[in-house]
Amino acid sequence: MKPELTADALVQLVHRYYPVGLHTADPGYNVTEEAQRLTRLLEANAAGSQTWKDFYQRVRGEFPDCSLWDTTVPLNDPCYGCRVSQPGFFPGDPRYDSVVCLLSQLAPVYAIYAAHLEEKGSGLPRDHWLCFPPFPPEYQSRETRLARLIESTFGYTRLSNEVLFTSVPDLVPRMANFSIGEAQLIDCLFTPNRW
C-alpha cells in the first residue's frame, strides 16, 4: 500500500468531510465546514465522471453473461458503486448473487465484496450475507477481473480488510443511522449501506 493510503492517513482524510462528535440528526451537522465540504464534493460528482461512465461500459463488455447495476447514490455517498451478478442471476430474482465494487470519491481507493440474497417466500426471513476477501471460489474469477479493470482504468489501490474495518469512533457518516462510535473507514470512504 502507498504510504499516503495508510489507515491513519485515511482516518485523517475522512475527518475533513465529517464533523467530529455530531450525530447526523444534530441540527448543526449539515452546516459544519466538514459537511459542507462533503456536499460540494458530492454535487461535483453527482452526474458521474466520464471515466466512471467509460468504466461501467468496460465492465459491461467484460461480463456479458452478467447483469450490471450501477449502485451509485449521487448526493448521498462519496463513492461510485457497481454490482456485477453471478451468471444467470438478475435483480428481482428470488436469489441474487453478485460481486460489488465501491470506488471512493474521497481518495484513490476501492473495495470489493461478494453478496448473496435469497428470498425464502412470504413470511420467511431472507437469507443474506456479505463477504470480504477471501471470497468463496465461485466469486473469485469475477473479483479478480473486476479488480484488474478498476486498477487499469483508475489506478486506484484496493484496501485490505484491516484498513476497511478500521474504527473511526468520533464520526457518523451523513447517510448512516449510527451512534457515535460505530463508524469504520468503509462507511466514511464509501457508504454505510451495503447489501
Side-chain angles (χ1 to χ4, degrees), residues 58-74:
R58 287 184 67 195
V59 172
R60 185 173 303 289
E62 180 75 18
F63 300 99
D65 58 341
C66 302
S67 66
L68 299 184
W69 183 356
D70 184 341
T71 60
T72 305
V73 183

Side-chain angles (χ1 to χ4, degrees), residues 119-126:
E119 298 294 336
K120 297 292 190 176
S122 85
L124 297 173
R126 63 184 188 178

Side-chain angles (χ1 to χ4, degrees), residues 133-184:
F135 286 1
E138 64 270 23
Y139 291 84
Q140 291 175 3
S141 170
R142 276 169 179 63
E143 169 197 15
T144 300
R145 289 163 53 198
L146 195 53
R148 187 176 60 242
L149 275 174
I150 293 167
E151 291 170 13
S152 67
T153 302
F154 296 94
Y156 282 15
T157 299
R158 186 171 182 177
L159 296 180
S160 67
N161 292 349
E162 179 183 348
V163 173
L164 287 172
F165 300 114
T166 297
S167 179
V168 188
D170 56 351
L171 304 182
V172 176
R174 70 191 254 159
M175 299 315 285
N177 189 19
F178 291 174
S179 296
I180 293 174
E182 295 179 340
Q184 298 172 317

Side-chain angles (χ1 to χ4, degrees), residues 1 5-7 10-11 100 102 109-114 130-136 143 157-168 183-187 189-190 194:
M1 181 178 299
L5 299 178
T6 64
L10 291 169
V11 166
V100 182
L102 302 171
V109 296
Y110 74 98
I112 297 179
Y113 64 90
L130 301 179
C131 177
F132 286 83
F135 286 1
E143 169 197 15
T157 299
R158 186 171 182 177
L159 296 180
S160 67
N161 292 349
E162 179 183 348
V163 173
L164 287 172
F165 300 114
T166 297
S167 179
V168 188
Q184 298 172 317
L185 270 175
I186 190 170
D187 306 312
L189 288 169
F190 305 104
R194 294 177 294 279

Side-chain angles (χ1 to χ4, degrees), residues 59 63 66-69 82-86 96-101 142 146:
V59 172
F63 300 99
C66 302
S67 66
L68 299 184
W69 183 356
C82 179
R83 184 176 293 274
V84 180
S85 76
Q86 293 291 84
Y96 187 65
D97 293 345
S98 58
V99 175
V100 182
C101 68
R142 276 169 179 63
L146 195 53

